[in-house]
Amino acid sequence: MNDTRSWDLRLGYLIHDVSRLRRVCFDRELSPLGITRSQWWVLAFISRNDGLQQTQLANELDVGKVALGSLIDRLESAGFVERRPDDKDRRVKRVFLTEKASGLIEAIGKISDEFNGRILTGISREDLELTSRTLYAMKQNLITLTNDEELKAAGGDELDGKGLEPRISAL
């Protein structure tokens, strides 16, 4: 295996391992609050988009409707969200945060800030900015590849440069 290929593989594994370890450690940080990282992810998104339709929320989070429905069920049982019928179409359910969720979101925000501070210890601001720019550029390239593949799968022989609009979340 040539040196470049070996480096590419190591980079992929490193990105995967950092992501996996961060998820495991963050789940551990949240466990005393009785909430999972997945539930937190949904709450954080709803906090920025309160009142979205449940199906739209599933699309925005790129999660299956059934999986999201289960997460919303658990969050609703815990008193963090409530489903309300849409004013215009009673078949449509919208998801709203409760007062109880507002306090939890604030508490988790503090935990998240402290957690990120610990995992970034010893890394200079310049290195963090370079890493962030690099990962963002990689993400954009992957979105482009995904969009190209979606267009090809939809029957487009040539890409006209327009592509599909990427959904970039701040999560």
Side-chain angles (χ1 to χ4, degrees), residues 18-140:
V18 168
S19 178
R20 180 184 55 80
L21 287 167
R22 188 183 186 289
R23 286 190 310 266
V24 167
C25 291
F26 197 62
D27 272 341
R28 194 176 303 141
E29 295 286 319
L30 295 179
S31 67
L33 298 176
I35 190 164
T36 66
R37 180 184 27 83
S38 296
Q39 291 169 329
W40 161 235
W41 180 52
V42 171
L43 285 175
F45 192 85
I46 294 171
S47 74
R48 292 186 297 274
N49 302 278
D50 204 24
L52 275 181
Q53 295 179 8
Q54 189 169 324
T55 54
Q56 186 180 0
L57 184 59
N59 290 335
E60 292 291 329
L61 293 173
D62 198 24
V63 174
K65 292 176 188 175
V66 173
L68 179 68
S70 295
L71 278 167
I72 298 294
D73 287 343
R74 288 192 301 274
L75 290 168
E76 192 171 36
S77 293
F80 296 124
V81 299
E82 63 181 15
R83 291 178 175 112
R84 298 182 205 154
D86 185 80
D87 292 337
K88 295 179 179 128
D89 184 349
R90 304 212 38 92
R91 295 170 298 173
V92 173
K93 299 293 183 206
R94 294 189 175 271
V95 183
F96 293 88
L97 291 180
T98 63
E99 282 294 317
K100 183 177 180 182
S102 298
L104 179 68
I105 288 170
E106 188 175 319
I108 292 175
K110 291 175 184 173
I111 290 170
S112 180
D113 289 346
E114 196 273 331
F115 175 75
N116 286 330
R118 284 187 290 149
I119 66 174
L120 298 175
T121 297
I123 303 171
S124 72
R125 180 73 184 180
E126 294 79 21
D127 285 348
L128 288 172
E129 289 174 2
L130 176 60
T131 301
S132 183
R133 285 193 309 270
T134 302
L135 289 172
Y136 185 78
M138 291 170 69
K139 178 180 177 177
Q140 294 306 305

